[in-house]
Amino acid sequence: MNLDDIDRRILRALQRDGRMPNNELAKAVGLSASPCLRRVKLLEDAGVIDRYVAVLNPAKIGKGLTFFTRIWLKAQDEDTIEHFAAEVAKLPQVLECYLMLGDCDAMVRVVAADIHDYRRFQSEHLSRIKGVQNVKTDVPSQTVKQTSELPLS
Amino acid sequence: MNLDDIDRRILRALQRDGRMPNNELAKAVGLSASPCLRRVKLLEDAGVIDRYVAVLNPAKIGKGLTFFTRIWLKAQDEDTIEHFAAEVAKLPQVLECYLMLGDCDAMVRVVAADIHDYRRFQSEHLSRIKGVQNVKTDVPSQTVKQTSELPLS
DNA sequence: AGAATATTCGCAACCAAATTGCGAACTAAT
DNA sequence: ATTAGTTCGCAATTTGGTTGCGAATATTCT
């Protein structure tokens, strides 16, 4: 897929406001409504635009804190890793999980209401997954930046 | 703000599809159109719904790889940290940046096209920020889970 | 328990935006 | 220069968003 300058402007705008009305978007990118809409549909069909989502305020629903947890497994064979990945993906508190090659075996980003909520999650869910040997939690003291806006060349 | 069961169903649905038409949403949560819309507006006004965004496919725009970079600063005084935070927030390749209390001083999540693209970013932008002493990069070998959907109690 | 109050619902009419078809303008290649 | 291909903009149509009001449900106070 080859993106031109107008496509990039469309993507930038929709990353900021996924519900921007098409008329408004068209004006913002210097096009009339119908070709603008056509481009958006093409970007959706091509998978460049994956989906649209509502972004919630974590603090307002009692999930204001983020925790980064590094995980070491008892073994690194296929079965152990696959089982861990499948189980951790089921946990709704886990927003992100990556398998790592270096120091630890996996890293997860967890949201919780507070430290007690997190500790309960760790002991009752994370540590109970078969194959988990050790976990270490890092707590951010401040969030400097947190965006879903990808840079467009 | 007190959320009832219907509110939670609305939030769950809109986290999955931020552009779901109100009529459809109403049916999905067991309400008719107007009270459903009213609840959505209330959730927006209360800030529970922060905004709507288009989620792009990073691979399709040449930002397919994620890197986690831990950063150590030369000093931990207010000025050093504030300057670092301000500068790193300006970099579009940096999607997330957290100040840390433990081992390192900051952790950032960076997107890049490939390893070379990342190395260029690190040497030309990240390491050049005043006060940065050392950086260590962790590369995920596989993404197990990556979602923006917050759990609703 | 029962009445009064407050809240939330659903219907219907209205308004705005999304979508589609088609002819015109622009671009690129022969 | 002419032709083929692409992309544009206008206008009509359809679809969905929005608002007001009466009815139903839930809540509170005596």
Side-chain angles (χ1 to χ4, degrees):
Chain A
M1 178 99 197
N2 227 332
L3 303 176
D4 68 10
D5 204 58
I6 293 179
D7 291 323
R8 278 188 287 271
R9 269 182 280 182
I10 289 173
L11 294 174
R12 266 189 282 267
L14 289 178
Q15 280 196 107
R16 298 206 177 185
D17 179 3
R19 277 194 167 186
M20 181 182 285
N22 184 59
N23 285 324
E24 207 178 309
L25 177 64
K27 246 173 273 169
V29 304
L31 234 55
S32 70
S34 62
C36 181
L37 184 67
R38 216 169 312 153
R39 277 169 181 265
V40 171
K41 295 292 177 200
L42 285 173
L43 290 166
E44 290 171 359
D45 292 345
V48 177
I49 297 174
D50 188 57
R51 61 193 197 281
Y52 299 89
V53 301
V55 177
L56 308 190
N57 183 333
K60 294 278 171 88
I61 57 170
K63 296 287 164 186
L65 288 185
T66 288
F67 298 84
F68 289 97
T69 310
R70 283 173 294 158
I71 294 153
W72 286 262
L73 300 174
K74 288 171 185 161
Q76 282 75 38
D77 57 283
E78 188 77 11
D79 283 359
T80 304
I81 291 175
E82 278 305 306
H83 179 261
F84 169 78
E87 288 302 309
V88 85
K90 288 183 197 166
L91 302 173
Q93 298 95 332
V94 173
L95 263 44
E96 300 171 46
C97 174
Y98 306 91
L99 301 183
M100 308 298 284
L101 282 174
D103 185 22
C104 60
D105 295 311
M107 190 172 84
V108 299
R109 184 161 82 88
V110 178
V111 290
D114 50 49
I115 294 181
H116 296 99
D117 188 25
Y118 174 76
R119 289 200 69 84
R120 230 190 56 243
F121 163 79
Q122 183 177 311
S123 60
E124 291 184 14
H125 294 103
L126 200 55
S127 295
R128 284 191 189 169
I129 297 175
K130 190 166 162 278
V132 170
Q133 183 167 72
N134 191 27
V135 302
K136 271 191 185 172
T137 303
D138 291 311
V139 190
S141 60
Q142 197 191 319
T143 299
V144 171
K145 186 177 186 178
Q146 200 171 38
T147 181
S148 56
E149 288 180 41
L150 293 169
L152 289 158
S153 69
Chain B
M1 179 101 196
N2 229 331
L3 302 176
D4 67 11
D5 204 58
I6 292 179
D7 290 323
R8 278 188 287 271
R9 268 181 282 182
I10 288 174
L11 294 175
R12 265 189 283 266
L14 288 179
Q15 281 195 107
R16 287 183 194 231
D17 179 4
R19 278 193 167 185
M20 181 182 286
N22 184 60
N23 284 324
E24 207 178 309
L25 178 63
K27 246 173 274 169
V29 304
L31 235 55
S32 70
S34 61
C36 180
L37 184 66
R38 216 169 311 153
R39 279 169 180 264
V40 172
K41 296 289 177 200
L42 286 173
L43 291 166
E44 290 170 0
D45 292 346
V48 177
I49 296 175
D50 187 58
R51 63 192 197 281
Y52 299 89
V53 301
V55 177
L56 308 190
N57 182 334
K60 294 277 170 93
I61 56 169
K63 297 287 165 185
L65 289 185
T66 288
F67 298 83
F68 289 98
T69 311
R70 284 173 294 159
I71 293 153
W72 287 262
L73 299 174
K74 288 172 185 160
Q76 281 76 36
D77 57 285
E78 187 77 12
D79 283 357
T80 304
I81 291 174
E82 278 305 306
H83 180 262
F84 169 78
E87 288 302 309
V88 86
K90 288 182 196 166
L91 301 173
Q93 297 96 331
V94 172
L95 263 44
E96 299 172 45
C97 174
Y98 306 91
L99 300 182
M100 307 298 285
L101 282 174
D103 185 21
C104 61
D105 296 310
M107 190 173 81
V108 299
R109 183 161 82 88
V110 178
V111 289
D114 50 49
I115 295 182
H116 296 99
D117 189 25
Y118 174 76
R119 288 199 69 83
R120 230 190 58 243
F121 164 78
Q122 182 177 311
S123 60
E124 291 184 13
H125 294 102
L126 199 56
S127 296
R128 285 191 190 171
I129 297 175
K130 191 166 162 278
V132 170
Q133 182 167 74
N134 192 27
V135 302
K136 272 192 184 170
T137 303
D138 291 312
V139 190
S141 61
Q142 198 191 320
T143 300
V144 171
K145 186 177 188 180
Q146 199 170 38
T147 181
S148 56
E149 287 180 40
L150 293 169
L152 290 157
S153 67

